[in-house]
Amino acid sequence: MLKIENYIGGKLLEPVSGKYIDNYNPATGEVYSLIPDSDETDVEAAARSAKAAFPVWSKMSAEARHDVLMRVSALIERDLDLLAEAESVDNGKPKTLAKKVDIPRAVSNFKFYATAAMHTATEAHETVGQAINYTLRQPLGVVGCISPWNLPLYLFSWKIAPALAAGCCVVAKPSEITPMTAFLLSKICIEAGMPEGVLNIVHGLGAKAGAAIVQNKDVKAISFTGGTRTGEWIAREAAPKFKKLSLELGGKNPNIIFADCDYEETLATTVLSSFSNQGQICLCGSRIFVERPLYEKFKNDFVERVKKLKVGDPLDETTNIGAVVSKPHMEKILSYIDLAQKEGGTILTGGKQIQVEGRCAGGYFVEPTVIENLAHDCRTNQEEIFGPVVTITPFDAEDEVLSYANSVEYGLSATVWTENLSRAHRMAEKIESGIVWVNTWLLRDLRTPFGGMKNSGVGREGGFEALKFFTEEKNVCIKIDY
Ligand code: NAD
């Protein structure tokens, strides 16, 4: 059976303990590879390698770093099909989605930050008649990047690329649930001639390998994407050590549909924003609010469209919805569907596990599910389910829907559908979330700040924000004798 290896000091290595964890294919329910069960010994070795590589990497010109990162990007692009299939097998997502979204985005992440690093500038402040100040931005040193399972290579590279471009050396850990494309990336880095120790990838459990990265004394900053509870733990652990933190956490995003929306566009995009990647995108709109005059029509048409989605083998090109990521996650999703019914919800479509025939008979498949008749403040409408489950609720007034939208502990993203420009601005201003999409969803420009408010996180990724995060700002004040 294929054994995934750690990537430390430029080499592929077994975990020091020699222990491994099973890696499941969620579409079949079978173990298909083994993941290093790394511990603090492996993390220490990775941090030592990163520390040793830092003086040279951080002093290289931005152009030289650009060349390395562009080679990585080109090799990911070359291996598009192979990586997309690996992502699909590891995660359960349709291969067509990985080929269209996940892997191309990893290509872009490296490309974007390779070039961005060549366009950075810094501030200068003249203290008239006395001095000139300038801001020196220096790479932090060794940093930790920890990512989740829902968009494995996409989010892993979204952290690693800016850290490396800024001149930091990295100890990174992908999710133990989806480690495969990070392993393939380590092979790509070797082929691309990434200098030894600049990027180190340690595989293993969050509470063991992940915690060891957070606790390592040489790791100066943690860029983390994952669940809010894990983020809380990391914040508690890192705060007394004064580590810099970027936390991208959970969401429970509203999708607000006014009666004057562009109907066809709203309907088609709402199917995607509800169920893409089996609803396992932190930006999915899991709470749909529809203005009352449009409610019945929208609800009926939406449910019709959802019924037509094909759930099945992620490697089949005609599949819309693949497997959810794991058995425990499937059970969590099904338990929320149960809860929704206990809370008085009516299931309009879906609601059950699906038994797919053939190769995928043992896989973890859940029907895309739409639920109505739930209060905005019940648990189903407040807690993150992170699966193919949405609720649909009517509203009468702008203020009313704003109060529903903002009633959750999260504040990651929101979507507003209206042709009324003033209303769009009013809503965007009042919604408590880091991103507001108007008449679209998941349209991303990598230069924009990305992140959440409230319990969805602290700090912003994207654009120059991420490059700044990985640097220490130093004010240099030079007195001038006039
Ligand atoms: P998770 O918090 O369980 O795990 C995320 C990563 O953290 C994994 O690599 C895991 O091994 C590691 N980890 C777990 N415990 C740790 C610890 N004590 N110390 C250090 N590392 C630890 O999250 P998940 O289940 O993998 O991902 C799903 C969550 O991620 C959802 O809540 C989703 O909303 C969120 N998410 C957020 C964004 C965003 O941009 N805000 C994007 C994608 C996913």
Side-chain angles (χ1 to χ4, degrees):
M1 179 148 334
L2 172 71
K3 274 187 178 169
I4 288 173
E5 290 168 298
N6 289 330
Y7 172 51
I8 297 176
K11 294 181 183 59
L12 297 175
L13 300 175
E14 296 213 342
V16 173
S17 69
K19 290 189 191 147
Y20 286 84
I21 318 160
D22 290 339
N23 189 22
Y24 287 85
N25 174 343
T28 63
E30 284 159 8
V31 175
Y32 81 103
S33 59
L34 297 172
I35 315 161
D37 183 8
S38 309
D39 57 28
E40 77 267 17
T41 322
D42 305 284
V43 170
E44 272 161 25
R48 264 198 311 278
S49 298
K51 202 173 170 183
F54 180 69
V56 174
W57 180 252
S58 59
K59 290 292 174 214
M60 266 166 82
S61 66
E63 196 173 348
R65 287 202 293 266
H66 157 275
D67 292 350
V68 176
L69 298 182
M70 287 301 275
R71 285 201 296 276
V72 173
S73 173
L75 291 176
I76 297 174
E77 200 162 19
R78 180 197 68 187
D79 291 349
L80 171 72
D81 195 70
L82 183 143
L83 288 163
E85 184 148 332
E87 204 72 292
S88 168
V89 170
D90 218 24
N91 173 280
K93 66 179 65 203
K95 180 178 170 186
T96 49
L97 182 73
K99 213 165 164 177
K100 203 167 125 213
V101 177
D102 293 70
I103 310 305
R105 177 55 192 275
V107 172
S108 303
N109 288 343
F110 276 102
K111 218 179 257 180
F112 180 83
Y113 279 108
T115 50
M118 297 206 300
H119 298 274
T120 53
T122 194
E123 301 88 359
H125 301 90
E126 184 186 10
T127 312
V128 177
Q130 298 179 62
I132 182 90
N133 295 270
Y134 67 92
T135 307
L136 191 60
R137 290 182 199 282
Q138 297 172 302
L140 288 175
V142 180
V143 297
C145 297
I146 302 175
S147 60
W149 50 256
N150 64 323
L151 299 164
L153 191 62
Y154 174 137
L155 289 175
F156 197 58
S157 54
W158 181 233
K159 299 184 172 304
I160 289 168
L164 296 174
C168 291
C169 290
V170 175
V171 179
K173 194 191 89 59
S175 169
E176 62 274 31
I177 301 169
T178 53
M180 189 55 79
T181 47
F183 175 52
L184 297 174
L185 177 69
S186 47
K187 294 185 174 182
I188 282 177
C189 288
I190 293 171
E191 189 180 344
M194 173 92 66
E196 287 176 9
V198 165
L199 171 63
N200 303 274
I201 301 176
V202 181
H203 294 272
L205 300 171
K208 203 193 268 186
I213 296 175
V214 176
Q215 289 164 336
N216 188 283
K217 66 176 180 2
D218 290 322
V219 173
K220 305 289 182 219
I222 299 290
S223 172
F224 170 79
T225 300
T228 295
R229 297 290 92 81
T230 314
E232 242 176 74
W233 184 88
I234 291 176
R236 260 202 311 275
E237 203 55 32
K241 300 181 180 72
F242 305 106
K243 294 184 191 234
K244 229 173 158 181
L245 279 184
S246 166
L247 301 173
E248 301 295 339
L249 310 175
K252 186 77 179 175
N253 310 310
N255 176 9
I256 302 169
I257 299 168
F258 285 95
D260 69 348
C261 67
D262 174 336
Y263 189 74
E264 270 312 310
E265 180 79 16
T266 307
L267 188 60
T269 307
T270 296
V271 174
L272 295 176
S273 67
S274 302
F275 299 114
S276 291
N277 205 36
Q278 300 68 249
Q280 303 166 138
I281 300 181
C282 53
L283 305 165
C284 279
S286 53
R287 296 179 296 148
I288 304 171
F289 299 108
V290 187
E291 205 175 7
R292 186 129 6 225
L294 193 66
Y295 184 74
E296 285 301 320
K297 177 175 166 50
F298 183 89
K299 179 182 85 178
N300 294 332
D301 290 348
F302 179 60
V303 166
E304 275 322 297
R305 295 263 181 122
V306 174
K307 281 183 176 160
K308 290 196 183 111
L309 293 173
K310 187 180 162 206
V311 182
D313 188 341
L315 297 180
D316 179 341
E317 289 204 348
T318 62
T319 291
N320 304 112
I321 311 260
V324 298
V325 79
S326 68
K327 189 154 185 267
H329 192 57
M330 177 178 73
E331 282 160 3
K332 175 188 159 186
I333 295 165
L334 294 172
S335 79
Y336 269 104
I337 296 173
D338 229 37
L339 172 71
Q341 288 165 286
K342 290 195 182 107
E343 289 183 318
T346 310
I347 296 188
L348 300 175
T349 182
K352 292 192 291 297
Q353 183 185 352
I354 290 191
Q355 198 71 43
V356 172
E357 286 179 7
R359 185 183 90 84
C360 295
Y364 316 130
F365 296 87
V366 178
E367 291 174 330
T369 301
V370 183
I371 307 171
E372 76 165 344
N373 287 333
L374 283 171
H376 75 276
D377 56 357
C378 69
R379 280 185 57 204
T380 310
N381 265 329
Q382 292 285 313
E383 297 175 15
E384 187 183 42
I385 302 173
F386 215 51
V389 180
V390 294
T391 63
I392 184 162
T393 310
F395 70 90
D396 294 295
E398 235 175 86
D399 282 352
E400 177 196 3
V401 76
L402 266 169
S403 75
Y404 295 168
N406 290 341
S407 67
V408 293
E409 67 174 86
Y410 299 106
L412 189 54
S413 73
T415 305
V416 179
W417 294 94
T418 178
E419 292 295 294
N420 179 332
L421 189 58
S422 297
R423 172 153 60 201
H425 280 301
R426 272 197 308 275
M427 295 292 290
E429 204 244 328
K430 290 179 185 157
I431 288 174
E432 294 165 355
S433 69
I435 306 164
V436 180
W437 277 296
V438 177
N439 299 332
T440 184
W441 176 73
L442 210 63
L443 185 58
R444 291 277 297 119
D445 182 324
L446 302 190
R447 295 170 301 176
T448 60
F450 177 87
M453 294 168 63
K454 295 157 66 175
N455 291 3
S456 289
V458 179
R460 293 292 180 270
E461 298 186 311
F464 292 117
E465 310 279 336
L467 286 176
K468 282 183 187 165
F469 173 76
F470 289 111
T471 58
E472 189 78 73
E473 289 158 338
K474 189 183 282 177
N475 176 54
V476 180
C477 174
I478 302 173
K479 182 172 177 294
I480 301 172
D481 291 327
Y482 288 95

